[in-house]
Amino acid sequence: MATAAAAFGISIPTADNSETNFVEILNSRWMREQLLRSEFVYHRRSWRFGQERLTKGTLQEYLGQKNMDRAVRRMGTCFFVTKEIKSKIVTISADTKYPELSQQMVEKACKLLEGFLQRKGRTRGGAKALFAEARLLEARQELDEAEGALRRFLEGNRNSNVSPDPAIRLKGLRLENELKLRQQLIMTLAMNREEALLEEKNDIPILNVLDAANLPLEKSRPARSVYVLLAAFLAALGCLAWDGRSWIQGILFDLRPSDRTPNEES
């Protein structure tokens, strides 16, 4: 098996990150299904000493599982996620027969994680920005109505501020205050919208990739010493069999059923 690994540090600018658990996201069924459906291009051999050929296929096809539930369970044998508690460094590793496939699996997992975090942050901050934008549109319409009411009043009462009628002066003052209130509301909502847009950007956790997915040059398992010992054992067994071939043939001859019938033996 060839193992590829990638390690990255996670920098979170927000104060509360309790909703974000990167290990759970990487180990989630959603992540595994995305990896299983992804196509990878890598070199493989039809047999151990065969010629390498370029292969394109999904991870599910590599695992040989048509059933998605079984394929998700099989992912536990080739895809691993660990986290260092103190340093908060998450390590992703893949263990397959082919080095290029292992490397591409790790790279794809990093991209899927980053895309998930960006969509989540944009959804939360974007909702606030959309609400502020809608309320700002309503406030502008209310401002237009307040301006129209004050304009119509001034057209009929040009000197309302010095009018001897207190009712006219009071109505003019009320319309002016209403207009000022709508103008202040517009400024407040505009500021809230800008803050929501900034919050949308700040809510997205930053992934600092420390070690990119490496291309394995040596097999991680089984160890080469296992092959050497197995080959030595088989060679010794073959030598013993060759040296004792006469004895083995004699035993086999004695165990062979007789060609004579019972009557002939009597």
Side-chain angles (χ1 to χ4, degrees):
M1 294 292 182
T3 301
F8 55 89
I10 301 170
S11 176
I12 306 172
T14 56
D16 182 12
N17 61 343
S18 59
E19 297 180 359
T20 306
N21 193 320
F22 299 92
V23 177
E24 289 185 359
I25 295 173
L26 289 167
N27 285 326
S28 66
R29 183 182 177 92
W30 171 84
M31 175 65 72
R32 297 194 176 196
E33 286 185 357
Q34 293 297 317
L35 288 173
L36 287 168
R37 294 191 178 100
S38 299
E39 285 191 344
F40 300 98
V41 180
Y42 55 96
H43 290 85
R44 62 178 299 178
R45 300 177 187 270
S46 57
W47 60 294
R48 181 171 180 79
F49 301 102
Q51 185 178 3
E52 287 188 346
R53 294 183 178 180
L54 193 64
T55 302
K56 180 179 180 181
T58 64
L59 182 61
Q60 187 174 1
E61 293 172 348
Y62 163 78
L63 295 175
Q65 298 292 336
K66 295 182 179 180
N67 185 291
M68 180 58 70
D69 291 337
R70 294 180 179 176
V72 169
R73 289 195 294 268
R74 283 289 303 275
M75 281 281 292
T77 63
C78 63
F79 184 73
F80 311 97
V81 181
T82 58
K83 179 180 180 181
E84 180 65 30
I85 303 299
K86 293 183 179 180
S87 62
K88 296 183 180 180
I89 294 178
V90 178
T91 302
I92 307 173
S93 58
D95 190 2
T96 67
K97 296 179 181 179
Y98 311 106
E100 293 173 326
L101 178 59
S102 298
Q103 182 187 34
Q104 293 176 31
M105 280 179 61
V106 174
E107 291 176 344
K108 184 66 175 179
C110 291
K111 292 180 180 179
L112 288 171
L113 176 61
E114 186 175 6
F116 177 86
L117 296 175
Q118 290 178 351
R119 289 192 300 271
K120 181 180 178 181
R122 288 172 181 168
T123 300
R124 183 172 52 196
K128 295 181 180 179
L130 288 175
F131 174 79
E133 182 66 32
R135 185 66 188 93
L136 183 60
L137 181 61
E138 294 177 358
R140 285 172 177 168
Q141 294 175 352
E142 295 171 355
L143 177 63
D144 292 339
E145 294 175 0
E147 288 177 345
L150 180 60
R151 183 180 63 254
R152 289 189 296 270
F153 174 78
L154 293 176
E155 287 175 354
N157 304 274
R158 297 185 180 275
N159 298 319
S160 60
N161 56 340
V162 295
S163 175
D165 189 350
I168 293 178
R169 292 198 306 270
L170 182 61
K171 185 175 181 180
L173 183 61
R174 181 174 60 83
L175 291 175
E176 289 178 0
N177 291 335
E178 182 70 18
L179 180 60
K180 291 179 181 179
L181 177 63
R182 297 301 173 187
Q183 290 174 343
Q184 292 177 358
L185 181 60
I186 290 290
M187 294 178 61
T188 302
L189 290 174
M191 292 179 62
N192 290 340
R193 182 189 61 178
E194 295 302 320
E195 290 177 358
L197 293 174
L198 292 175
E199 183 180 352
E200 179 183 6
K201 300 298 182 182
N202 292 334
D203 282 344
I204 302 176
I206 301 173
L207 299 183
N208 298 319
V209 179
L210 303 181
D211 297 319
N214 64 293
L215 181 64
L217 300 178
E218 297 182 358
K219 290 187 175 182
S220 58
R221 61 182 179 90
R224 188 178 300 274
S225 58
V226 176
Y227 286 120
V228 174
L229 293 175
L230 181 60
F233 173 76
L234 293 176
L237 186 62
C239 292
L240 291 175
W242 178 258
D243 292 340
R245 61 186 183 279
S246 300
W247 176 73
I248 294 174
Q249 289 176 354
I251 293 178
L252 294 176
F253 181 80
D254 293 339
L255 294 177
R256 187 179 61 181
S258 177
D259 295 333
R260 292 180 299 175
T261 63
N263 294 332
E264 291 176 346
E265 291 178 355
S266 59

